[in-house]
Amino acid sequence: MTNLDTSSSESVRAGYANYNSSGLVNSLFPVLDNNAGYTLSFTMKVNSQTNNGSNGEYRAGFSAIVLGSDKKGIELGFRNPNTNTNIPDIFSQNSATFNTPGERNASLSGILSNLSTYNLTVLGNGYTLTSEGNTLLSGLLRDYTSAVGLLTDVYRTPNFIFLGDNTTSAGANVDIQSITLTTTDATAVPEPSSMLGIGLAIGFGARLRHKLGKNS
């Protein structure tokens, strides 16, 4: 179990990615073919969430990003609770401006407070998020490549995965137990240390690596 805590300051950004400032962490990382399909599974719980509101309501201290080889994908925010309504929720970022939500589920019955396994499946032009056999969200993939500003080059990076805090206006305390990627050729690459590395998305300051543990 790994604890990722960026709640002390909204300006702190850190997380797990298959890229770091030097490039791809694992040269054997598979191509994420949206048409063929793949599933990112992660087991985690959100202990707490903060949001100072400087970038609007829909920012999350813990987000999951998947981008296929065509750079189309989805970013999902996990909040426990949503600091504006005090209701836990999961939502998708609707566009490259990140100022309006897409799909949203605010009927989670405490799932975010417990250690739960989420399966984010991409197939064709759509995605589905499930947990314990229940569909939590589903919708179309987005193209975020027109995003501008600090760190937005990640949205123009093919075959990209990120789990963590990527915003300057929110933070979270999250326990992460496991991360697994499964592609249609039945290959699975388990655990952050081998697939993603305890690392940072492109452009995330190296000074944050120390916070993430022995593999940074």
Side-chain angles (χ1 to χ4, degrees):
M1 187 85 72
T2 296
N3 178 257
L4 176 64
D5 187 0
T6 62
S7 60
S8 62
S9 172
E10 279 81 4
S11 63
V12 173
R13 302 175 301 279
Y16 298 97
N18 60 330
Y19 282 81
N20 60 23
S21 57
S22 299
L24 193 63
V25 173
N26 185 343
S27 61
L28 299 179
F29 190 84
V31 171
L32 300 182
D33 184 339
N34 291 346
N35 291 319
Y38 60 91
T39 297
L40 177 69
S41 299
F42 49 100
T43 301
M44 64 96 180
K45 68 173 180 173
V46 181
N47 301 311
S48 63
Q49 155 86 20
T50 65
N51 186 342
N52 65 20
S54 61
N55 288 319
E57 177 183 351
Y58 286 96
R59 293 295 189 273
F62 181 85
S63 295
I65 304 172
V66 293
L67 301 174
S69 57
D70 60 0
K71 304 178 186 178
K72 293 181 180 178
I74 197 70
E75 177 171 345
L76 302 179
F78 297 73
R79 303 189 293 187
N80 184 34
N82 170 359
T83 51
N84 294 290
T85 63
N86 208 37
I87 298 174
D89 65 356
I90 303 172
F91 66 94
S92 67
Q93 292 288 0
N94 197 42
S95 69
T97 57
F98 306 110
N99 57 4
T100 57
E103 300 76 35
R104 179 171 177 255
N105 187 337
S107 302
L108 297 171
S109 302
I111 184 173
L112 288 169
S113 300
N114 299 305
L115 198 62
S116 303
T117 298
Y118 300 89
N119 299 300
L120 176 53
T121 298
V122 170
L123 182 60
N125 197 37
Y127 80 92
T128 304
L129 179 72
T130 62
S131 182
E132 305 299 332
N134 299 311
T135 298
L136 304 181
L137 288 179
S138 63
L140 297 176
L141 300 180
R142 269 67 166 190
D143 184 342
Y144 300 122
T145 56
S146 62
V148 296
L150 182 66
L151 308 181
T152 55
D153 278 350
V154 297
Y155 298 105
R156 291 175 283 277
T157 303
N159 305 306
F160 179 74
I161 286 177
F162 175 80
L163 291 164
D165 176 358
N166 67 342
T167 179
T168 59
S169 60
N173 183 302
V174 181
D175 290 329
I176 304 173
Q177 185 178 75
S178 63
I179 304 169
T180 303
L181 175 68
T182 304
T183 60
T184 52
D185 63 0
T187 59
V189 193
E191 298 305 322
S193 59
S194 57
M195 180 185 81
L196 305 177
I198 297 185
L200 310 169
I202 294 172
F204 281 30
R207 64 185 179 83
L208 298 180
R209 293 188 186 184
H210 233 17
K211 297 178 66 65
L212 294 175
K214 62 183 180 181
N215 292 326
S216 58

